[in-house]
């Protein structure tokens, strides 16, 4: 019994001694590895600090170049302030980093992290740092000298900026060379240390492997205990899989999920009994068929050893994918999951794919909200640009007109309509107001307004072409009206904050947006349109009041509007007017004059003036010419817009009427110019093949006709094919 006890003690003593020796060997290897790793870590940190310093030096010269390029820009502009603040921060950072490398002090980065900077240890490293420091000592005073007076509008700092920029072009390059030398020195030292680690690790692995063979040979009888340890390890794995918050599982080549997976996986995926199931069957119905097929191909490529894992990972179709819940629970119908795939190797073969799944719904929703806020910020910047660059009166008029248009369209939507005739009248009336609003927004370069109005016009155009209308077809327009009203309120608030001296007219309160069923509005009766003379004179009419007001600011507004459209249409157009800067427009006609002018100017650029190449081929100057004349004759007010473009092609109008199915070829040939002009002014008719932001929807001239009729005015149209077109609008003052 005693012998037995001595034998047991001897066995355990040998086991303990073997384990102790094994641990000592590993400990020595780890100690050396930790020591050399700390040196490599020190070198890595030093390389990072050196690169950071070089990057700051590059940023300094970029900022100086930016400031040099923007000389003349207001020093208190957001751009100037941002660049100066960044330049000052970068200057401080470079100074900290250079001093930190010399003394081994700490550095606080932009995120607030306290980073310990390793101290230089070799003479070559110090020489490289000294060279960089010398160049920085030349550049730093010049930057500080510029920054001292850069934010004072009374001080001209352009010379100081030029000196700093010229010095930076030399010093930054030399600093980069010196810091690059420092980096190379550190890299060489790191490579030497890495070689030592590899050698020691190789010897350690050989020793461990040899010792392991001896250990297995003498202690094979301990396999039972090893099995027990393996069982315990398995239980630990199961506990871990039951505890982790992410979904973990393995996929084989047949896309079957392994028997072991984390407990959280069932909650994340939203399905039970996942072990052994086909991964594609789990996803089917939760993602699109296209994404499902792409996922199969993606996993097949992961099992292809010739394809690099990093390259395939960039093509992951299940990165932040929206997963539909098929359980019927509407509260969790849309979730975003992020699947990460990693190869699991056995020797050199790819044995499994480890999949890690996270529910990233909150992060995705946050990104979406931030993107929406970013879009709103861009929109406000656009509005601020308009407010700051456009005459305040025009901005206030735009806000007032926008609310009037919205209120008018809203009232049309509220009024019920039953017959097709009433619904068509209602549609045309809304179309005219929407097009008018878009025209004013486009003139002010308010692309947010223009985009919403264009989207609404697309829906209105589709309704015109769908044939039979119903009241519910108009409900979709309420959203666009709400968006337009929101934008107008935003620009109104911004304008009041910026220009307190010119408050917005409060006489037009914000209308509430109707979501009621569609209704009707009076349309222009085409029977009241007549041709009075050979110049195609059209009579339209209603009542009007008069009030005089001066609008000398309109010419630059019109010229900018024409130039903007011409650029989009790839044309060269010049607008001229001797009368607009001095004419007194009656107050009651102020809005209608501007709206008619906008529509006719757009019509002249889009339909009248040819492209530069076409004009030159016809012997005309490349630049098209538009003459705008306004005249107040006491009893009447006249608007005359004449262009030297291609004129009205009546044959094109005939072809369009036939293609639209309004007339047969025989019928259209019998139509006289006065009849063709009536169609040119009708809603939905345009000779332009493709609609865009500026034309092609057949609404502009319809608006002009409706406005002239409302004010009891008349239209004269005179055109010579290939030479000119002239519109003369006469409106009574009383």
């Amino acid at each position: 019994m005693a012998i037995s006890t001595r034998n047991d003690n001897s066995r355990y003593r040998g086991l303990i001694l073997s384990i102790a020796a094994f641990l000592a060997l590993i400990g020595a290897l780890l100690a050396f590895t930790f020591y050399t790793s700390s040196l490599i870590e020190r070198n890595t940190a030093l390389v990072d600090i050196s690169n950071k310093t070089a990057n700051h030096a590059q940023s300094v010269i970029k900022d100086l170049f930016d400031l040099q390029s923007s000389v003349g820009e207001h020093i208190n502009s957001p751009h100037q302030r941002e660049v100066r603040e960044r330049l000052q921060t970068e200057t401080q950072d470079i100074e900290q980093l250079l001093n930190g490398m010399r003394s081994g002090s700490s550095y606080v980065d932009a995120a607030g992290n306290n980073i310990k900077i390793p101290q230089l240890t070799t003479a070559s490293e110090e020489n490289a740092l000294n060279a960089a420091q010398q160049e920085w000592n030349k550049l730093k005073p010049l930057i500080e000298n510029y920054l001292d007076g850069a934010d004072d509008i009374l001080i001209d700092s352009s010379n100081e900026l030029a000196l700093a920029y010229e010095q930076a072009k030399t010093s930054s390059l030399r600093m980069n060379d010196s810091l690059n030398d420092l980096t190379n020195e550190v890299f060489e030292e790191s490579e030497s240390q890495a070689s030592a680690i590899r050698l020691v690790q190789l010897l350690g692995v050989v020793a461990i492997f040899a010792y392991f063979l001896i250990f297995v040979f003498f202690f094979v009888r301990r396999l039972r205990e090893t099995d027990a340890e393996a069982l315990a390890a398995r239980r630990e794995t199961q506990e871990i899989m039951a505890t982790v918050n992410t979904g973990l599982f393995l996929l084989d080549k047949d896309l079957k999920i392994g028997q072991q997976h984390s407990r959280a996986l069932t909650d994340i995926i939203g399905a039970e009994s996942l072990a052994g199931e086909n991964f594609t069957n789990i996803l089917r119905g939760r993602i699109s068929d296209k994404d499902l097929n792409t996922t199969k191909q993606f996993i097949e490529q992961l099992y292809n050893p010739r394809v690099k894992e990093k390259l395939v990972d960039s093509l992951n179709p299940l990165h932040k994918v929206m997963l539909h819940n098929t359980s019927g629970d509407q509260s969790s119908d849309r979730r975003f999951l992020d699947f990460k795939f990693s190869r699991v190797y056995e020797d050199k073969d790819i044995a499994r794919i480890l999949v890690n799944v996270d529910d990233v719904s909150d992060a995705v929703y946050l990104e979406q909200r931030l993107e929406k806020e970013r879009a709103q910020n861009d929109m406000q910047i656009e509005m601020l640009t308009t407010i700051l660059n456009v005459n305040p009166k025009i901005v206030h008029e735009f806000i007032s007109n926008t609310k009037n248009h919205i209120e008018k369209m809203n009232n049309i939507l509220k009024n019920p309509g039953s017959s097709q005739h009433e619904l068509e009248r209602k549609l045309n009336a809304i179309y005219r107001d929407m097009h008018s609003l878009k025209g004013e927004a486009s003139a002010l370069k308010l692309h947010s307004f223009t985009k919403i109005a264009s989207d609404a016009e697309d829906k209105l155009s589709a309704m015109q072409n769908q044939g039979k209308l119903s009241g519910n077809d108009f409900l979709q327009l309420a959203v666009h009206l709400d968006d337009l009203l929101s934008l107008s309120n935003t620009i109104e608030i911004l304008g009041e904050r910026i220009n307190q001296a010119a408050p917005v007219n409060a006489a037009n309160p914000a209308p509430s947006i109707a979501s009621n069923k569609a209704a009707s509005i009076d349309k222009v009766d085409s029977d009241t349109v007549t041709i009075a003379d050979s110049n195609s004179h059209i009579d339209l009419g209603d009542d009007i009041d008069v009030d005089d007001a001066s609008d000398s600011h309109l010419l630059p507004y019109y010229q900018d509007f024409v130039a903007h459209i011409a650029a989009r249409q790839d044309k060269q157009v010049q607008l001229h007017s001797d009368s607009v800067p001095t004419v007194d427009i009656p107050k009651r006609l102020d809005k209608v004059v501007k709206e008619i002018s906008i529509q006719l100017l757009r019509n002249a650029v889009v339909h009248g003036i040819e492209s530069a190449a076409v004009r030159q081929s016809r012997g005309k100057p490349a630049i098209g010419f538009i003459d705008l004349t306004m005249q107040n004759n006491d009893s009447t007010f006249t608007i005359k817009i004449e262009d030297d473009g291609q004129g009205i092609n009546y044959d094109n109008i005939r072809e369009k009427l036939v293609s639209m199915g309004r007339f047969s070829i025989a019928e259209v040939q019998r139509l006289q110019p006065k009849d063709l002009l009536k169609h040119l002014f009708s809603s939905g008719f345009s000779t332009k093949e493709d609609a865009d932001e500026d034309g092609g929807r057949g609404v502009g001239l319809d608006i002009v006709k409706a406005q002239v009729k409302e004010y009891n005015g008349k239209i004269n149209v005179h055109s010579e094919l290939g030479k000119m077109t002239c519109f003369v609008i006469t409106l009574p003052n009383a």
Side-chain angles (χ1 to χ4, degrees):
M1 189 68 178
I3 295 174
S4 177
T5 303
R6 283 195 299 271
N7 288 339
D8 289 340
N9 291 336
S10 176
R11 183 185 64 179
Y12 285 116
R13 188 183 304 114
L15 179 61
I16 293 172
L17 290 175
S18 297
I19 294 175
F22 185 77
L23 291 176
L25 180 61
I26 293 178
L29 180 62
L30 289 176
F32 179 79
T33 301
F34 287 152
Y35 171 72
T36 51
S37 295
S38 65
L39 295 179
I40 293 177
E41 183 180 1
R42 171 260 180 195
N43 292 336
T44 302
L46 193 57
V47 168
D48 181 64
I49 293 300
S50 177
N51 290 335
K52 190 184 295 292
T53 306
N55 291 337
H56 281 313
Q58 288 297 314
S59 298
V60 164
I61 192 172
K62 289 179 181 178
D63 289 341
L64 289 172
F65 175 74
D66 193 356
L67 291 167
Q68 182 74 4
S69 301
S70 59
V71 168
E73 182 179 342
H74 198 283
I75 65 171
N76 289 324
S77 69
H79 169 254
Q80 285 273 341
R81 289 201 305 270
E82 180 183 355
V83 177
R84 289 200 305 271
E85 291 172 2
R86 187 168 63 239
L87 178 62
Q88 186 170 14
T89 302
E90 289 163 352
T91 303
Q92 295 171 351
D93 288 344
I94 292 175
E95 187 69 13
Q96 277 190 343
L97 293 170
L98 291 175
N99 292 335
M101 285 188 285
R102 186 176 304 280
S103 61
S105 60
S106 297
Y107 164 71
V108 180
D109 63 10
N113 301 317
N114 197 343
I115 301 173
K116 176 66 177 177
I117 303 178
Q119 187 174 4
L120 302 182
T121 56
T122 66
S124 56
E125 292 174 352
E126 292 181 355
N127 290 337
L129 179 63
N130 290 335
Q133 184 70 57
Q134 290 176 1
E135 293 300 324
W136 175 242
N137 290 341
K138 296 176 184 178
L139 177 58
K140 177 187 173 184
L142 298 177
I143 296 175
E144 292 177 341
N145 191 27
Y146 162 70
L147 291 174
D148 285 343
D151 58 352
D152 192 341
I153 196 171
L154 299 178
I155 298 176
D156 183 6
S157 301
S158 59
N159 291 335
E160 288 78 1
L161 174 60
L163 291 174
Y165 174 65
E166 291 300 323
Q167 182 63 41
K169 289 193 291 186
T170 303
S171 296
S172 64
L173 293 176
R174 293 178 179 175
M175 286 179 67
N176 284 341
D177 292 340
S178 301
L179 293 171
N180 187 50
D181 293 340
L182 173 59
T183 301
N184 292 335
E185 289 289 333
V186 176
F187 268 128
E188 292 177 1
E189 185 177 352
S190 298
E191 289 178 357
S192 175
Q193 293 165 352
S195 298
I197 289 178
R198 286 193 293 269
L199 178 61
V200 172
Q201 286 178 336
L202 178 62
L203 294 175
V205 169
V206 171
I208 291 171
F209 183 73
Y211 194 88
F212 177 75
L213 292 178
I214 297 173
F215 185 87
V216 171
F217 180 78
F218 284 103
F219 298 100
V220 67
R221 289 173 295 180
R222 304 290 297 174
L223 288 177
R224 183 176 299 175
E225 296 179 9
T226 303
D227 291 340
E229 292 174 358
L231 181 60
R234 185 179 302 169
R235 285 197 298 266
E236 290 176 0
T237 301
Q238 292 174 345
E239 291 174 358
I240 292 173
M241 297 294 275
T243 305
V244 294
N245 295 324
T246 60
L248 293 174
F249 62 94
L250 292 170
L251 273 180
D252 62 15
K253 289 186 177 181
D254 297 326
L255 302 185
K256 288 186 177 180
I257 299 175
Q259 296 299 319
Q260 297 291 329
H261 61 77
S262 63
R263 183 179 299 172
L265 181 64
T266 54
D267 295 330
I268 294 175
I269 297 293
E272 300 291 340
S273 303
L274 294 171
E277 292 291 328
N278 190 286
F279 185 49
T280 56
N281 291 337
I282 299 298
L283 294 179
R284 184 170 286 109
R286 301 168 185 265
I287 61 176
S288 67
D289 292 339
K290 180 180 178 181
D291 286 342
L292 188 61
N293 292 330
T294 306
T295 301
K296 292 179 183 178
Q297 297 172 2
F298 170 74
I299 297 176
E300 288 175 1
Q301 292 302 314
L302 279 174
Y303 272 104
N304 186 351
R306 290 175 294 181
V307 178
K308 293 184 178 180
E309 186 174 359
K310 290 184 178 179
L311 176 62
V312 180
D313 185 62
S314 64
L315 305 175
N316 183 2
L318 298 182
H319 175 63
K320 294 183 180 178
V321 65
M322 186 177 72
L323 197 72
H324 294 281
N325 196 327
T326 58
S327 64
D329 183 3
Q330 297 298 324
S331 62
S332 58
D333 185 49
R334 293 174 66 251
R335 291 187 301 158
F336 291 88
L337 302 185
D338 188 19
F339 291 78
K340 296 179 181 178
F341 299 84
S342 303
R343 289 170 172 170
V344 178
Y345 290 89
E346 287 183 2
D347 295 330
K348 294 183 179 180
D349 298 327
I350 303 172
R352 297 284 189 278
I353 300 298
L354 176 64
V355 185
N356 188 338
V357 191
D358 282 313
D359 189 337
V360 293
S361 300
D362 291 340
V364 171
Y365 291 141
L366 178 60
E367 289 176 3
Q368 293 174 349
R369 182 166 61 84
L370 292 176
E371 183 63 29
K372 182 178 180 181
E373 291 176 356
R374 189 179 298 113
Q376 291 176 343
N377 291 337
D378 293 341
M379 176 197 69
Q380 291 189 357
I381 291 173
E382 174 190 284
M383 292 179 176
L384 283 172
T385 302
T386 297
I387 294 172
L388 295 174
N389 291 282
V390 177
N391 188 290
K393 181 178 179 181
I394 293 179
V395 176
H396 299 326
E397 288 175 352
F398 171 75
I399 295 170
S400 177
N401 292 344
T402 298
K403 291 186 176 181
N404 287 336
H405 283 303
I406 293 173
E407 185 174 17
K408 186 176 179 182
M409 287 185 282
N410 190 43
N411 290 333
I412 295 172
L413 289 175
K414 288 180 179 179
N415 295 326
S418 55
S419 68
Q420 282 297 303
H421 180 66
E422 290 177 341
L423 293 176
E424 288 174 2
R425 291 171 57 194
K426 175 177 178 175
L427 175 63
N428 293 335
I430 295 176
Y431 212 155
R432 285 193 293 269
D433 277 285
M434 188 65 71
H435 195 75
S436 297
L437 191 152
K438 188 188 78 170
E440 293 191 50
S442 178
L444 293 177
K445 301 179 183 178
L446 291 173
H447 302 295
S448 300
F449 279 90
T450 306
K451 177 64 170 61
I452 296 173
S454 294
D455 291 342
E457 283 189 330
D458 289 339
K459 291 184 173 62
L460 289 166
S461 179
M463 291 168 64
Q464 276 187 333
N465 297 325
Q466 75 182 29
K468 188 175 182 180
L469 293 171
S470 68
N472 291 332
D473 293 333
F474 291 82
L475 296 179
Q476 56 186 330
L477 300 176
V479 176
H480 296 285
L481 296 185
D482 198 13
D483 291 341
L484 291 170
L485 179 59
S486 176
L487 290 179
S488 66
N489 289 336
T490 300
I491 194 172
E492 182 177 20
I493 293 171
L494 292 174
E496 288 176 349
R497 291 179 179 176
I498 293 175
N499 192 3
Q500 296 292 338
V504 179
N505 183 6
N508 297 292
S512 60
I513 302 303
S515 59
N516 302 30
K517 291 186 176 179
S520 65
I521 186 170
D522 290 337
K523 75 168 188 176
V524 176
D525 186 356
S526 60
D527 294 336
T528 64
V529 181
T530 59
I531 304 299
D533 55 31
S534 60
N535 287 341
S536 304
H537 163 220
I538 303 176
D539 291 322
L540 309 145
D542 262 319
D543 298 329
I544 190 168
D545 356 315
V546 175
D547 198 310
D548 289 336
S550 177
D551 286 276
S552 59
H553 61 280
L554 283 177
L555 181 58
Y557 170 75
Y558 290 143
Q559 289 174 330
D560 189 49
F561 174 60
V562 168
H564 193 50
I565 297 178
R568 283 201 301 268
Q569 297 292 322
D570 196 22
K571 297 180 180 180
Q572 300 178 31
V573 183
Q574 181 178 355
L575 173 65
H576 176 264
S577 177
D578 292 326
S579 59
V580 171
T582 58
V583 71
D584 288 333
I585 302 175
K587 185 175 182 181
R588 199 171 69 111
L589 297 179
D590 185 58
K591 293 180 182 179
V592 68
V593 167
K594 189 194 312 184
E595 185 163 358
I596 290 174
S597 300
I598 287 175
Q599 299 300 336
L600 291 180
L601 287 173
R602 178 193 282 111
N603 187 78
V605 176
V606 176
H607 298 282
I609 302 297
E610 312 96 323
S611 65
V614 172
R615 290 179 64 85
Q616 289 176 332
S617 68
R618 295 175 177 175
K620 294 182 178 182
I623 301 176
F625 185 83
I626 299 176
D627 185 71
L628 172 60
T629 304
M630 294 185 183
Q631 187 174 3
N632 192 339
N633 297 318
D634 295 333
S635 62
T636 60
F637 188 88
T638 304
I639 308 167
K640 177 183 176 183
I641 294 180
E642 180 176 344
D643 66 76
D644 65 345
Q646 58 191 345
I648 297 175
N649 191 325
Y650 292 103
D651 289 336
N652 286 349
I653 298 176
R654 289 187 174 94
E655 291 176 4
K656 189 70 174 182
L657 289 172
V658 172
S659 66
M660 295 176 67
R662 296 188 182 183
F663 294 93
S664 66
I665 297 178
E667 290 172 339
V668 82
Q669 293 300 325
R670 292 194 292 268
L671 295 179
Q672 298 300 314
K674 63 179 182 179
D675 302 315
L676 296 173
L677 279 178
K678 286 184 179 181
H679 290 286
L680 191 64
F681 279 83
S682 65
S683 179
F685 182 85
S686 175
T687 56
K688 197 172 187 294
E689 292 298 328
D690 300 316
D692 56 23
E693 181 179 339
D694 300 312
R697 302 180 187 274
V699 187
L701 292 182
D702 181 37
I703 292 173
V704 174
K705 181 182 70 173
Q707 292 285 6
V708 173
K709 181 179 184 299
E710 181 179 351
Y711 283 84
N712 198 25
K714 59 183 178 180
I715 304 173
N716 282 294
V717 182
H718 177 66
S719 177
E720 296 182 27
L721 186 61
K723 295 182 179 181
M724 56 82 70
T725 301
C726 178
F727 289 86
V728 179
I729 310 298
T730 304
L731 302 172
N733 284 346

